[in-house]
Amino acid sequence: MDLPQELILQTLLRLPVKSLILFKCVCKLWISIISDPQFANSHFQLNLTKHTRRFLCISALSPEIRSIDFDAFLNDAPASPNFNCSLPDSYFPFEIKGSCRGFIFMYRHPNIYIWNPSTGSKRQILMSAFNTKAYINLYGFGYDQSRDDYVVVLLSNKVNPFLVGVPQSHLEVFSFKDNTWKEIEGTHLPYGDNYREGEGVVFNGAIHWLSSRRDIALDVIVGFDLTERILFEMPLPNDVDHTELVHSGLWVSGEFLSIWVKDTTNDTIEIWVMKEYNVHLSWNKTLVLPQYVIPGHYFNPLYYSRFADYFHPMYSTENGDIIGKYGGTKLVKYNDKGQFLGHHSFCNSPSEVVVYTESLLSLSGDDEHV
């Protein structure tokens, strides 16, 4: 059909990522349109509220990767669009440190990998010369909209923080636009080891971590403003027991920054939501979730603690249901009243997991080594 190119463009902009990747095979015009970085950016912006959220799981025992549409997965959809994807064996084993705009941030010393599993594009970054010998506490990856720039953030200590004395800390940022590492100097960095399960959470133009203040022995939320390129702090809720924070994490619950904390005494998970960003008094405990023993679940205590048998919230659906992982092998679902709705196994062995958004976006220098 001889359709106007503008009509073709507007139609393609409204299709899901998976379909667009397949439609590159239709004709030269379509592959030209879909491969255009401006089209990818327009598609991402137009579909911000409709993007497919997927659950990426990577086995800790082998280079096995699965990408799952977990809304369909937990609802027993017969045609759940799950797929397997691959990376070079040389990338394994690695740790997942976060996701942003369709990209997965992975780390394997001494390299950082940024990968878009929807398109297969990837970028490898060598760690800065200083950090190859440093003890890294916090990793982050985000997008600076003011500069149209992706950045990797590392907060590191030159010496082991468990030794006597105050380590010399450094904050470094890699800019994809500038293609270089830059140290942020003159910043007071009293933050200790990020010993909890989790990664840097991108929200409201900043990357957020749970960490500890070495100088006052108190846990806080550390933020890095992606536009101003500065660190800031936010206190935790007054009623959170800091002795319980070994098993805790940050996540985004709907439109709010949220923290979950495992109460080991009552064997529950507390959900706290910050109703107004960076306003301490707006913290509100919204749910207390019971910890159910899932039938048929097997946990090997020799695996890392990040695969421990407790619920780890990861995603909140439009109707308020909470989906998270359990034991590194299962997805569990609660409703907005805290009622247990069900579970499904997503793999046979404990896995690294992350929630990401499908996108066609690419990075400058994809598939290149820096």
Side-chain angles (χ1 to χ4, degrees), residues 29 39 71 119 155 268:
L29 174 61
F39 175 87
D71 282 329
T119 64
L155 174 59
T268 58

Side-chain angles (χ1 to χ4, degrees), residues 8 12 19-32 34:
I8 295 174
L12 293 178
S19 297
L20 291 170
I21 292 174
L22 293 174
F23 291 164
K24 283 185 175 183
C25 302
V26 171
C27 62
K28 292 182 179 179
L29 174 61
W30 283 31
I31 191 173
S32 175
I34 298 170

Side-chain angles (χ1 to χ4, degrees), residues 161-185:
F162 294 107
L163 299 179
V164 177
V166 178
Q168 182 181 4
S169 298
H170 289 260
L171 177 64
E172 292 188 278
V173 175
F174 181 87
S175 163
F176 281 82
K177 176 167 284 189
D178 298 335
N179 194 33
T180 186
W181 286 99
K182 179 180 179 181
E183 183 177 353
I184 309 293
E185 299 180 348

Side-chain angles (χ1 to χ4, degrees), residues 211-232:
S211 192
S212 56
R213 285 279 302 264
R214 292 190 301 258
D215 51 349
I216 57 177
L218 192 67
D219 295 286
V220 295
I221 295 174
V222 181
F224 179 80
D225 188 301
L226 290 161
T227 300
E228 300 296 330
R229 306 287 170 93
I230 57 173
L231 288 175
F232 61 94

